[in-house]
Amino acid sequence: MTRTTRTGALAACLAASLAVAGCTDSGTADTGTSTLNIATMTFPQSLDPAQAVGSALPYFQATYDTLVKREPDGELRPMLATEWQYNADRTELGLTLRKDAKFADGTVFDAAAVKANMERFKTGGGADAKWLKDLESVAVDDPTHVTLKLRQPNPAMLFYLSDAAGLMANPAAFDKGDGLKTTPDGTGPYRLDRTKTTVGTKWVYQRNPDYWGEPLPYETLTMSFFDNETAIVNGLKTGQVNAALLQSADQQISIESDPRMKTTEQEFDFQGLLLFDRGGKLTPALKDARVRQALNLAIDRKTMLEAIRQNRGEITSQVFGPDTHGYDRKLDTYYAHDPARAKELLRTAGHAEGFTLKLPRIAAIVNDALAASLASDLEAVGVKLVWDDLDGASAVQKVFTDRAYSGMVMNMGQSSSDWVVVDELVNPGAFNMFGTSDATVRELVPRVQSGTAEQAGAAVRALGEHLVKEAWFVPFYRMTYLHVSDGSVTIRPQSGMAVPSIYNYSPAK
Amino acid sequence: MLTFITRRIASGALLLAVISFLTYVLLSVPDTDVGRQLLGQGADQAAVDAKNTSLGLDRPVWEQYADWLSHAVRGDLGTSWFTSEDVTQAVLGRLPVTASLMLGVTLVTTVVSFLLGVWAGVRRGAVDRVVQVLGVVGYALPGFLVTLVLVLVFAVELNWFPAIGYIPFTDSPGGWLSTITLPVLALSVASVAGVSQQVRGAVIDVLRQDYVRTLRARGLPASRIVLRHVLRNACAPALSVLGMQFVGLLGGAVVVEQIFGLPGIGSMTVTYTTRGDIPVIMALVMLTVVGVVLINLLVDIMIGWLNPKARVA
């Protein structure tokens, strides 16, 4: 190549790049009125219902129906099951199924599909598989009737059927290897558009023309995953995102100043210290209820809420949320900030010199302000708080697998089902990892589980009060989350879920 | 030249093998409970154990690595633990986004840096001082700040460009350009600042050479001297820096892709690394190593092509 050619090539390159750099086409993403683009910070590990988890439910709701529909207020309504009936001792739940629902390949949904799905969910290794631990077997009575046989009554069974455990996939797809993980096959209102979907970032669903039910208001539903709220907020402001949930108080404030946005508040997660070691295995002092009460009294919830969440939330001393029967408004303020009383309790419990409490800290949950605030509140009554700084992955490993800590500061979703709360936080399991209990709890829990609605209601209220008085937990506050739309969508929050069901969106009028 | 390229590719392959082994071992050292990560805090321990077994995590690390390697050499990079997608598909799906960014930034950097650098180097005086100040400012500004300001001004306020998202070139060339313009500009600021200073320095150095004085004395027009002789000799150091900038862009791309919500390799690296998704991280590390080796090779070839003297050196 001659020198001239080389110089020419260089010059041509420069000119071409100038031309490209000079172009400015301000085309924007397609956001027609028939498209709903929801931004979320949760994504499903797979679209196979056997591995579904409640928090990722909207991704599944698009292509699968659940047996029971959960309305925004938590009420249970017919969906694939049109009727349900318990037997006298509530160990058998009979379901009547609809006849006109069809899977993607045209197969009719029937009782055999329910049996296959429920058995698969139970053994499929998903995070919520434990929900069906009380399910003994599923009997197919005829194509439109099944009976779920339970080992013992489970008051949350219908709730589970309105959530991950109730999602129904086409049994014909079960044998196709990992097919369902990325290619869902259900009876739902949408079908996944594989060509426009990039798993991990954007899932695009097109309306199912053969849907048995009322079509949803949007032709196309897009779920976009983001790992930060800044991008979501920018997307909302430019109309590229139609709806999203904002958790951070700062982002909430920034969006509220924009007059185009429509916002709806919801209190869902509570933040607090979950004490696991009520038996005093790792921290002997925690065995004494007075010590646990002292921790509750030492915390200045109002100041924490103000400084950390900019007052976006409600202080609380209980783990039951407002949508449950176990909730009692009075218990929200049961423990007022009273360091003197806390010290007195510690002294009478034999810990006048205080003790050391070691807790894991994940910076994403316990920010510097919260860490400092908790440490100084506890220090003031003589309890030395030692934070073990851990990344999310190793914290989960150390807390839940190695059981190395007496408690952990966490954000917990508040279910609308009493039994879900009891089973998750009170019964021995992941969040009661040392399996601690006491006589009152042992007496009340079976009543919540097996009693009539009235008996169960009374028992769960008593249980809620007992847990607060015995200081099983140190809750701080429920956090206000903000559902935001770019102005084009009306969003109804979903009871018992941080993210709304896909049925809760409609065009703004 | 052929021997040179062959040698470089062979050493690249060796580098790939060593880095893949080290990465796998390092990723396995933290002994993170992947099953627990996957199933969440509320899952039963039995389910967690079953998950770990199904992923083969109960085997020794060397055995897991050998398994990964034997599949990888056959082109099977496995399945993501966290999204169940095929790793090759997942990475290939995101590659065009990051490739668009990097090529865009390289183009912008090349054009702007050479223009500014040559201008400052030849004219000196006030122009030179302004370019130098701009260089320092551009280099000192934090990348995320530049990015946020660009989004707020040009996307949110003026609405000239979309604030988030990516439109593939094949869907709409105009849309593609609109989605990558702001990210490319954001990434180009520091890049231009660095490379333009190099070009300026190199141009000044070359202008001081005896042969330039001789050419001037022979009455050659200044523009011809600069374009034909100075620029070619000044190219080598500038291209080396450009190559390094290109590699360094991966780091900058992480921030920019997150702020613009771009489904690229940068944001993917962060998301999947924090989750400990070994099959995906391994693929990304391999891709990066191959990229770095290729870019360095390309830079060397280009320097040799533009400046024959470098081939001898």
Side-chain angles (χ1 to χ4, degrees):
Chain A
M1 194 176 279
T2 65
R3 280 175 193 180
T4 323
T5 328
R6 263 184 231 131
T7 317
L10 195 67
C13 246
L14 294 181
S17 50
L18 267 176
V20 173
C23 295
T24 47
D25 183 333
S26 58
T28 48
D30 176 25
T31 48
T33 48
S34 64
T35 296
L36 175 65
N37 191 353
I38 302 170
T40 167
M41 288 176 70
T42 309
F43 78 85
Q45 286 158 25
S46 122
L47 294 176
D48 182 345
Q51 271 133 38
V53 282
S55 57
L57 201 57
Y59 287 97
F60 293 91
Q61 287 174 326
T63 54
Y64 300 104
D65 291 313
T66 43
L67 287 168
V68 176
K69 187 179 181 201
R70 193 156 82 244
E71 296 293 339
D73 61 1
E75 197 189 332
L76 300 175
R77 291 278 182 81
M79 202 167 202
L80 286 176
T82 52
E83 283 173 51
W84 47 84
Q85 185 70 47
Y86 272 112
N87 67 349
D89 65 358
R90 280 186 288 148
T91 52
E92 286 190 10
L93 173 61
L95 302 177
T96 306
L97 309 170
R98 57 179 327 117
K99 300 175 183 129
D100 53 351
K102 287 191 177 108
F103 293 110
D105 65 358
T107 313
V108 176
F109 162 76
D110 60 6
V114 176
K115 180 178 165 69
N117 272 285
M118 295 203 73
E119 285 171 352
R120 192 163 170 269
F121 187 83
K122 192 178 166 169
T123 56
D128 290 340
K130 62 183 175 176
W131 283 354
L132 295 188
K133 64 179 189 290
D134 289 332
L135 178 74
E136 198 167 55
S137 61
V138 182
V140 174
D141 304 327
D142 63 53
T144 54
H145 289 89
V146 281
T147 305
L148 311 186
K149 298 197 166 146
L150 310 180
R151 274 194 194 90
Q152 53 181 342
N154 187 318
M157 190 51 72
L158 283 168
F159 173 89
Y160 295 145
L161 298 187
S162 74
D163 210 295
L167 295 163
M168 294 290 122
N170 187 353
F174 291 175
D175 302 329
K176 292 178 190 159
D178 289 343
L180 280 177
K181 285 183 176 174
T182 50
T183 314
D185 183 353
T187 59
Y190 292 96
R191 298 257 182 262
L192 184 73
D193 186 341
R194 283 294 305 269
T195 56
K196 290 189 178 151
T197 294
T198 310
V199 175
T201 50
K202 193 165 119 179
W203 289 255
V204 181
Y205 301 90
Q206 305 291 355
R207 199 186 264 166
N208 172 10
D210 304 323
Y211 187 50
W212 56 268
E214 186 79 15
L216 270 72
Y218 299 95
E219 283 279 346
T220 307
L221 172 71
T222 301
M223 307 272 295
S224 304
F225 167 76
F226 293 91
D227 57 6
N228 65 93
E229 286 192 346
T230 308
I232 295 178
V233 166
N234 289 335
L236 281 162
K237 286 182 174 170
T238 53
Q240 290 178 273
V241 168
N242 304 124
L245 171 77
L246 297 180
Q247 300 191 3
S248 136
D250 292 337
Q251 299 288 7
Q252 293 179 8
I253 289 167
S254 97
I255 206 96
E256 276 173 343
S257 60
D258 192 322
R260 292 167 298 175
M261 303 295 146
K262 282 177 73 123
T263 58
T264 314
E265 289 184 351
Q266 183 189 13
E267 273 171 21
F268 182 66
D269 282 10
F270 80 88
Q271 189 167 56
L273 168 59
L274 292 194
L275 292 173
F276 307 132
D277 193 19
R278 290 174 290 263
K281 198 175 169 203
L282 301 172
T283 314
L286 290 178
K287 192 174 180 183
D288 195 321
R290 288 170 296 183
V291 172
R292 301 193 300 264
Q293 289 158 355
L295 295 180
N296 268 287
L297 290 164
I299 305 288
D300 183 358
R301 294 176 170 82
K302 278 202 170 105
T303 307
M304 280 168 63
L305 181 64
E306 203 173 289
I308 295 153
R309 296 283 310 166
Q310 306 187 34
N311 253 338
R312 285 165 181 265
E314 287 276 344
I315 59 163
T316 187
S317 302
Q318 62 190 325
V319 292
F320 282 96
D323 292 341
T324 57
H325 296 106
Y327 175 78
D328 179 350
R329 176 158 279 283
K330 287 198 298 291
L331 295 175
D332 274 346
T333 49
Y334 187 82
Y335 290 106
H337 182 219
D338 191 346
R341 172 96 183 105
K343 268 193 203 164
E344 174 65 19
L345 278 173
L346 284 173
R347 197 181 54 76
T348 54
H351 296 284
E353 300 301 309
F355 64 95
T356 299
L357 181 62
K358 192 168 81 168
L359 297 176
R361 179 184 166 202
I362 306 172
I365 298 173
V366 182
N367 59 24
D368 291 340
L370 180 56
S373 162
L374 276 177
S376 74
D377 281 353
L378 293 182
E379 184 89 53
V381 301
V383 177
K384 187 171 164 38
L385 180 56
V386 177
W387 289 113
D388 252 5
D389 285 317
L390 298 169
D391 64 88
S394 47
V396 167
Q397 152 94 10
K398 284 196 166 174
V399 174
F400 294 96
T401 310
D402 304 346
R403 298 179 180 178
Y405 297 97
S406 303
M408 183 182 183
V409 173
M410 295 180 76
N411 298 347
M412 293 285 294
Q414 292 190 311
S415 174
S416 54
S417 155
D418 286 302
W419 184 250
V420 171
V421 181
V422 173
D423 206 28
E424 196 161 60
L425 294 176
V426 182
N427 286 343
F431 295 108
N432 184 3
M433 60 183 69
F434 297 111
T436 58
S437 194
D438 62 38
T440 314
V441 169
R442 278 191 292 272
E443 189 202 324
L444 290 173
V445 168
R447 278 202 253 159
V448 180
Q449 182 173 13
S450 311
T452 59
E454 203 175 314
Q455 290 165 336
V460 78
R461 272 190 297 280
L463 179 67
E465 190 172 339
H466 176 73
L467 295 178
V468 172
K469 288 184 173 164
E470 283 293 298
W472 270 43
F473 309 98
V474 190
F476 310 147
Y477 38 72
R478 287 186 298 275
M479 298 183 281
T480 300
Y481 289 165
L482 200 64
H483 297 281
V484 186
S485 98
D486 61 347
S488 68
V489 186
T490 301
I491 308 167
R492 280 178 298 166
Q494 176 69 44
S495 164
M497 249 166 72
V499 287
S501 289
I502 60 158
Y503 313 101
N504 301 8
Y505 299 89
S506 54
K509 290 187 179 91
Chain B
M1 197 64 165
L2 203 63
T3 330
F4 167 76
I5 294 174
T6 319
R7 221 170 39 219
R8 290 290 290 269
I9 289 174
S11 64
L14 186 68
L15 189 71
L16 204 61
V18 172
I19 288 183
S20 74
F21 178 71
L22 287 177
T23 311
Y24 206 100
V25 171
L26 285 173
L27 285 171
S28 307
V29 165
D31 195 25
T32 308
D33 191 336
V34 176
R36 170 66 65 189
Q37 279 268 90
L38 280 165
L39 297 183
Q41 297 149 352
D44 283 345
Q45 192 56 42
V48 171
D49 294 340
K51 191 81 185 176
N52 281 328
T53 309
S54 75
L55 292 174
L57 294 167
D58 50 344
R59 298 173 301 165
V61 173
W62 64 267
E63 205 177 305
Q64 292 177 44
Y65 174 71
D67 189 34
W68 174 84
L69 188 65
S70 71
H71 283 91
V73 292
R74 282 176 279 161
D76 172 14
L77 292 171
T79 309
S80 160
W81 291 346
F82 284 80
T83 60
S84 311
E85 49 187 335
D86 180 78
V87 173
T88 313
Q89 296 268 319
V91 173
L92 287 181
R94 288 155 181 263
L95 196 56
V97 182
T98 309
S100 302
L101 284 189
M102 295 178 100
L103 288 176
V105 174
T106 307
L107 273 177
V108 171
T109 307
T110 311
V111 175
V112 180
S113 310
F114 273 83
L115 286 177
L116 283 181
V118 171
W119 193 31
V122 175
R123 291 285 291 274
R124 305 301 301 268
V127 169
D128 187 22
R129 279 193 292 280
V130 169
V131 170
Q132 280 194 68
V133 170
L134 285 179
V136 172
V137 172
Y139 216 69
L141 280 175
F144 72 91
L145 193 69
V146 175
T147 314
L148 281 174
V149 169
L150 284 174
V151 177
L152 289 178
V153 175
F154 295 104
V156 176
E157 283 306 316
L158 298 172
N159 223 343
W160 290 356
F161 299 98
I164 51 165
Y166 173 78
I167 299 171
F169 186 82
T170 44
D171 282 9
S172 151
W176 169 80
L177 200 59
S178 75
T179 50
I180 69 154
T181 302
L182 286 183
V184 163
L185 284 182
L187 281 169
S188 298
V189 172
S191 199
V192 165
V195 179
S196 64
Q197 298 304 307
Q198 281 295 327
V199 176
R200 172 195 167 271
V203 166
I204 292 173
D205 280 349
V206 179
L207 283 172
R208 285 196 189 122
Q209 304 279 324
D210 290 344
Y211 75 87
V212 176
R213 204 175 52 210
T214 314
L215 290 172
R216 278 195 181 130
R218 283 173 58 191
L220 251 72
S223 59
R224 196 161 161 194
I225 297 175
V226 170
L227 276 179
R228 275 213 173 172
H229 305 276
V230 177
L231 203 51
R232 188 178 308 140
N233 285 299
C235 258
L239 274 177
S240 304
V241 177
L242 198 63
M244 287 197 311
Q245 295 275 4
F246 195 87
V247 172
L249 275 181
L250 272 179
V254 170
V255 177
V256 168
E257 285 179 12
Q258 281 184 315
I259 294 179
F260 285 98
L262 298 176
I265 298 291
S267 57
M268 187 185 202
T269 308
V270 176
T271 314
Y272 288 76
T273 306
T274 47
R275 294 198 177 103
D277 196 331
I278 292 184
V280 177
I281 304 170
M282 289 302 291
L284 293 174
V285 168
M286 297 300 98
L287 181 73
T288 311
V289 174
V290 170
V292 169
V293 169
L294 284 182
I295 288 160
N296 281 317
L297 185 64
L298 197 69
V299 167
D300 286 345
I301 293 172
M302 277 176 71
I303 290 174
W305 177 59
L306 284 166
N307 184 358
K309 273 192 286 183
R311 273 179 258 169
V312 188

